[in-house]
Amino acid sequence: MTETTKTHVILLSCGTFNPITKGHIQMFERARDYLHKTGRFIVIGGIVSPVHDSYGKTGLVSSRHRLTMCQLAVQSSDWIRVDPWECYQDTWQTTCSVLEHHRDLMKRVTGCILSNVNTPSITPVIGQPQNESTQPIYQNNVSNKPTAAKILGKVGESLSRICCVRPPMERFTFVDENANLGTVMRYEEIELRILLLCGSDLLESFCIPGLWNESDMEIIVGEFGIVVVPRDGADPDRIMNHSSILRKYKNNILVVKDDSNHPMSVVSSTKSRLALQHGDGHVVDYLCQPVIDYILKSQLYINASG
């Protein structure tokens, strides 16, 4: 497959990140490596989205601290960003609403109208800015048609300013804004998806009756899709067999198949908090040093209450 025919992906991970661990970062890296190895995907960005303070989990520290720790954890990454939108809302947001937010944000960031992947290819979609005062994402000069690299470069610049983003199975279709719509000139189509990145523990939670809204599950798995990184020797295929919705959309669930004994697969925020509370030196195996320094400076997780 060529670069333009591969599906371009942004990975979104929602969670408490209380605190963010090396395991969280490795989850992004493992998912990207696996998707690239399939030959069908190009991962162009990653988003860490910490949950709102009103989520209500015992021991959840302020989003101010969690956002700072997340920023410190990804500061050396050139493709993973932290998005504060969830934390800045008036109340807790569902995972589904977070995915939909990023889908809508991508439309605004690119300044283009997006056509759904199911839209007939003859449907004209004008790739012009929604705000006329902004520069178009491409030049109208036919001799300077946009290439995938140019378009993704522009999109990437915008994403890096806002932390990344993107919707489900949709396509950018660029046409000459001055063209006669009866004879549309199609320049380029690039398929972009935003996929929910999670561990097998979150996948397993889909099987708990009443925990998830079924209509939300339909949207998350059916419209967006999931990338699952197995943890603690869990079997995602067995988990999926326990949910009718997961079975229904099994083709939209990508399970990372790499080293199931990866050392980071057993790292968790819970283990990290316990290590901090007990002064366990193994905390350096769980958290990156800037995060540890911030935790100690801010006196977080020192007491059993959080």
Side-chain angles (χ1 to χ4, degrees):
M1 298 179 72
T2 65
E3 296 295 292
T4 55
T5 58
K6 291 180 181 179
T7 299
H8 292 69
V9 168
I10 290 177
L11 298 169
L12 168 68
S13 181
C14 298
T16 58
F17 300 104
N18 189 42
I20 188 169
T21 69
K22 291 181 178 180
H24 289 125
I25 305 304
Q26 280 298 313
M27 185 167 66
F28 275 95
E29 299 289 351
R30 291 172 64 189
R32 182 175 70 161
D33 289 346
Y34 176 74
L35 292 179
H36 285 177
K37 285 177 182 176
T38 67
R40 297 187 292 128
F41 304 96
I42 298 177
V43 177
I44 62 173
I47 307 171
V48 175
S49 183
V51 76
H52 192 274
D53 287 340
S54 65
Y55 181 60
K57 190 171 183 178
T58 302
L60 184 67
V61 303
S62 165
S63 58
R64 173 173 63 88
H65 291 307
R66 289 182 289 115
L67 283 169
T68 300
M69 289 186 285
C70 287
Q71 291 282 11
L72 291 170
V74 305
Q75 62 184 350
S76 62
S77 175
D78 61 358
W79 70 281
I80 306 172
R81 299 289 182 267
V82 181
D83 187 280
W85 181 82
E86 262 195 270
C87 294
Y88 289 172
Q89 300 313 295
D90 293 332
T91 187
W92 169 75
Q93 301 293 307
T94 65
T95 300
C96 184
S97 66
V98 177
L99 285 164
E100 291 176 329
H101 158 72
H102 285 292
R103 174 187 61 200
D104 297 339
L105 180 57
M106 171 58 85
K107 292 178 181 178
R108 297 197 302 274
V109 167
T110 60
C112 293
I113 302 171
L114 302 182
S115 62
N116 189 278
V117 70
N118 295 320
T119 302
S121 60
I122 60 172
T123 303
V125 181
I126 301 177
Q128 61 185 10
Q130 295 175 344
N131 184 339
E132 293 182 358
S133 64
T134 61
Q135 290 297 313
I137 202 168
Y138 60 87
Q139 301 295 323
N140 288 333
N141 189 333
V142 175
S143 64
N144 190 27
K145 292 181 183 179
T147 63
K150 291 179 182 177
I151 294 168
L152 288 174
K154 291 293 184 182
V155 172
E157 290 173 9
S158 299
L159 293 179
S160 65
R161 289 195 293 270
I162 306 186
C163 297
C164 290
V165 199
R166 183 35 246 142
M169 242 349 219
E170 299 191 356
R171 287 183 184 274
F172 283 121
T173 304
F174 299 89
V175 301
D176 190 335
E177 62 186 10
N178 297 317
N180 181 323
L181 291 183
T183 56
V184 170
M185 293 173 58
R186 187 175 300 277
Y187 283 169
E188 195 80 72
E189 280 196 352
I190 301 173
E191 186 180 320
L192 285 163
R193 294 184 69 179
I194 182 166
L195 297 175
L196 179 66
L197 173 64
C198 67
S200 47
D201 51 342
L202 187 142
L203 186 70
E204 200 159 14
S205 73
F206 282 156
C207 303
I208 301 175
L211 185 61
W212 289 81
N213 181 297
E214 287 201 3
S215 61
D216 280 3
M217 286 178 63
E218 288 272 353
I219 294 173
I220 293 170
V221 189
E223 293 188 16
F224 287 89
I226 303 177
V227 178
V228 182
V229 179
R231 292 182 55 183
D232 297 330
D235 182 355
D237 290 324
R238 179 190 59 78
I239 295 172
M240 285 187 273
N241 286 333
H242 285 81
S243 166
S244 59
I245 292 179
L246 295 182
R247 288 197 303 271
K248 178 181 178 181
Y249 296 111
K250 191 171 183 178
N251 289 338
N252 278 354
I253 302 173
L254 299 165
V255 179
V256 173
K257 300 184 186 302
D258 58 4
D259 182 6
S260 59
N261 295 315
H262 194 286
M264 289 294 109
S265 66
V266 296
V267 173
S268 70
S269 295
T270 300
K271 287 184 178 180
S272 302
R273 293 194 301 272
L274 289 173
L276 287 163
Q277 290 163 13
H278 296 127
D280 186 342
H282 284 100
V283 70
V284 297
D285 297 326
Y286 307 150
L287 309 176
C288 66
Q289 193 59 49
V291 171
I292 294 175
D293 293 342
Y294 180 83
I295 288 173
L296 295 177
K297 179 181 178 181
S298 304
Q299 289 291 290
L300 304 176
Y301 310 117
I302 304 304
N303 298 318
S305 61

